[in-house]
Amino acid sequence: MDKKLLFIDCDPGIDDAAALLLAAAAPEAEIIGVSAVAGNVPLEHTLPNALALTAFTHLDAVPVYAGATRPLIGEVLTAAYVHGMDGLRGHTLPPHTRTACPEPAWTALHRAAAAYPGRVTLVAVGPLTSVATAFSLHPDLPGLLKQVVIMGGAAAVPGNASPAAEFNFLADPEAAEAVLRSGARLALCPLDATEKAYLTPEELETMAVLGSPQARFFAQVMGETVPWCRDNYGIHGATLHDPAALLYALHPELFTGKACWAGVETEAQLTRGKLFTDAFSDAKKDPNCTLLYDVDRPAFARTILDLMACY
Ligand code: RIB
Ligand code: CA
């Protein structure tokens, strides 16, 4: 069976790290590129974290590219309060000798998609600045990609970066809106789905005792978010936002979604970055994405534990 070709744009970030651990473990996936974008923490941390994570997950042959340092418009927004100043909550990874490739993320993404027309799935789990830049510089890119799976937005649930907006979309609303208007084949994995995509403390403990350094790292960094998730999402576990998007790219059957129209507010002050959709409304517009809103959580958890047992 042909492997699924994945290009992962991320802002590691602890849940980005978890997504990379899972992607690297998945036998059905071939990671053809990783790009870092400013988001959870500045690029000066997300890029080194991406390099260290590819070394840690035996992806030493996978090229890593630097993307955008700041949003298309507006001020830089970070989430160090969740991910720590270094992006990995102070957890160190083994030393390595990897360096980033010289070409920027948007050039590399276009080259990869053109090399494998219709076969590359872009998994975008940070602010969409680099993706929007790539689409702007290369108008043929949306049509070259098999699919773009995006972790972002909050449709019918409150935001996590403002009352209205999820972090990735608030960090660069113009980029998110541009990608939603791009004509690419989009799957949107918003908080509506990812808040249901969690591991319980017992499942995290099961992962920790798998014994590999990678499984222990995953369980440790995500386990530290359990109190935050309890206080902010009211769930007894660790929500896995970016792994949910990655898992959809590999196992869409775990999720429930619907074709709908989606857009992002860029003008208003209070609702800037808010994801609007007709998925739950009678006022329908032409669909531009598949919006995910539910997950088979036990199967999601089993799949994650099975993948992490591969290390
Ligand atoms: O809102 C969750 C998203 O914002 C995740 O991608 C997390 O890594 C942060 O970037
Ligand atoms: Ca992220």
Side-chain angles (χ1 to χ4, degrees), residues 9-16 40 83 125-127 151 167-168 242:
D9 186 70
C10 55
D11 60 332
I14 55 174
D15 59 326
D16 306 70
N40 289 317
H83 301 269
V125 293
M151 192 282 133
F167 175 81
N168 288 335
D242 294 347

Side-chain angles (χ1 to χ4, degrees), residues 68-157:
T69 59
R70 58 176 304 106
L72 297 181
I73 294 174
E75 295 308 309
V76 171
L77 177 70
T78 61
Y81 57 95
V82 174
H83 301 269
M85 295 302 286
D86 65 351
L88 295 177
R89 294 177 62 84
H91 293 279
T92 55
L93 291 168
H96 64 91
T97 58
R98 299 215 71 202
T99 57
C101 293
E103 68 183 340
W106 38 87
T107 304
L109 173 57
H110 181 245
R111 186 168 48 77
Y116 302 97
R119 288 199 56 210
V120 177
T121 295
L122 169 62
V123 180
V125 293
L128 291 168
T129 317
S130 298
V131 177
T133 301
F135 285 1
S136 172
L137 292 173
H138 304 286
D140 61 333
L141 180 53
L144 288 171
L145 290 165
K146 178 180 180 183
Q147 187 173 38
V148 183
V149 182
I150 297 164
M151 192 282 133
V157 297

Side-chain angles (χ1 to χ4, degrees), residues 181-297:
R181 308 269 75 78
S182 67
R185 182 166 174 259
L186 303 173
L188 206 44
C189 193
L191 293 181
D192 307 73
T194 65
E195 287 176 5
K196 301 170 186 173
Y198 62 87
L199 291 187
T200 65
E202 296 73 21
E203 290 160 345
L204 287 166
E205 181 53 34
T206 299
M207 184 181 297
V209 301
L210 288 172
S212 68
Q214 295 81 2
R216 288 200 309 271
F217 178 88
F218 187 126
Q220 176 72 45
V221 296
M222 297 316 305
E224 291 172 2
T225 71
V226 169
W228 194 90
C229 293
R230 179 194 62 228
D231 298 342
N232 290 274
Y233 296 135
I235 62 130
H236 185 50
T239 50
L240 299 176
H241 303 296
D242 294 347
L246 187 278
L247 262 280
Y248 177 77
L250 299 178
H251 297 282
E253 70 279 3
L254 295 174
F255 294 82
T256 304
K258 61 169 53 175
C260 64
W261 173 87
V264 179
E265 176 60 63
T266 58
E267 304 303 324
Q269 187 174 2
L270 278 181
T271 55
R272 178 167 166 78
K274 166 72 183 155
L275 166 64
F276 286 94
T277 175
D278 64 5
F280 313 110
S281 160
D282 293 335
K284 297 298 183 188
K285 302 175 76 169
D286 291 340
N288 61 338
C289 71
T290 295
L291 185 134
L292 308 178
Y293 58 87
D294 205 356
V295 61
D296 177 344
R297 196 210 70 80

Side-chain angles (χ1 to χ4, degrees), residues 30-45:
E30 180 180 348
I31 317 304
I32 61 170
V34 172
S35 51
V37 65
N40 289 317
V41 290
L43 186 70
E44 68 193 74
H45 293 298

